[in-house]
Amino acid sequence: MNAASKFGPVAEQEFENAADHEKPRLESWLETLPGLSDEHFFDVAKAAIFQSAVVASWSGNWNADHCRATAVYADAKRRHREAGHVDDCQGQTLYGRAHSMVMREQGYAPMPSGKCRCDLSGTAQVIR
């Protein structure tokens, strides 16, 4: 089992398909992801989303880059749930905010996300 497995089957598959020389650095990156502060995670998510989008149209093995983007998506969902949101919350996660920021930085106008209707009373941290 590799570090990507805790981020779901897509991340695990992308890790397995990544170039062997990428795997040690990728595994180390994946292991640090859950421990990042939300502020640092947001910056890391933006970078991973941007890089995955850039390489998506290039030929070659870019599975390590796609694995990073998949992992930040999964970890953002985990953080959202831990902040008190329900699984089907339509509010924006840190991944959603990072994705929207990357789109705006590239000259696009992202569509607004749904509204959070979760009862977050009594939670210490609210991610909207």
Side-chain angles (χ1 to χ4, degrees):
M1 185 172 287
N2 59 52
S5 62
K6 65 182 151 199
F7 299 104
V10 175
E12 186 172 19
Q13 184 69 40
E14 289 166 338
F15 181 90
E16 291 303 324
N17 291 335
D20 288 339
H21 70 275
E22 292 272 8
K23 288 180 182 179
R25 192 172 76 221
L26 177 57
E27 187 138 19
S28 179
W29 185 93
L30 291 166
E31 289 171 355
T32 64
L33 192 62
L36 299 177
S37 69
D38 285 351
E39 293 79 19
H40 190 192
F41 177 85
F42 180 78
D43 292 335
V44 168
K46 278 179 46 183
I49 292 164
F50 178 77
Q51 187 64 25
S52 179
V54 167
V55 301
S57 62
W58 297 351
S59 62
N61 183 345
W62 301 103
N63 280 289
D65 296 287
H66 299 312
C67 182
R68 286 180 184 90
T70 301
V72 296
Y73 176 81
D75 202 55
K77 285 178 64 174
R78 178 193 62 81
R79 290 166 186 258
H80 203 64
R81 282 189 307 273
E82 287 182 1
H85 296 270
V86 296
D87 283 341
D88 63 347
C89 175
Q90 298 300 306
Q92 200 167 41
T93 65
L94 285 171
Y95 178 92
R97 287 180 38 219
H99 187 274
S100 293
M101 179 68 75
V102 169
M103 287 185 69
R104 281 192 296 278
E105 289 173 350
Q106 299 305 309
Y108 295 96
M111 299 295 291
S113 64
K115 297 220 184 276
C116 173
R117 300 201 193 309
C118 300
D119 177 9
L120 298 172
S121 59
T123 59
Q125 178 185 15
V126 177
I127 301 171
R128 292 198 189 223

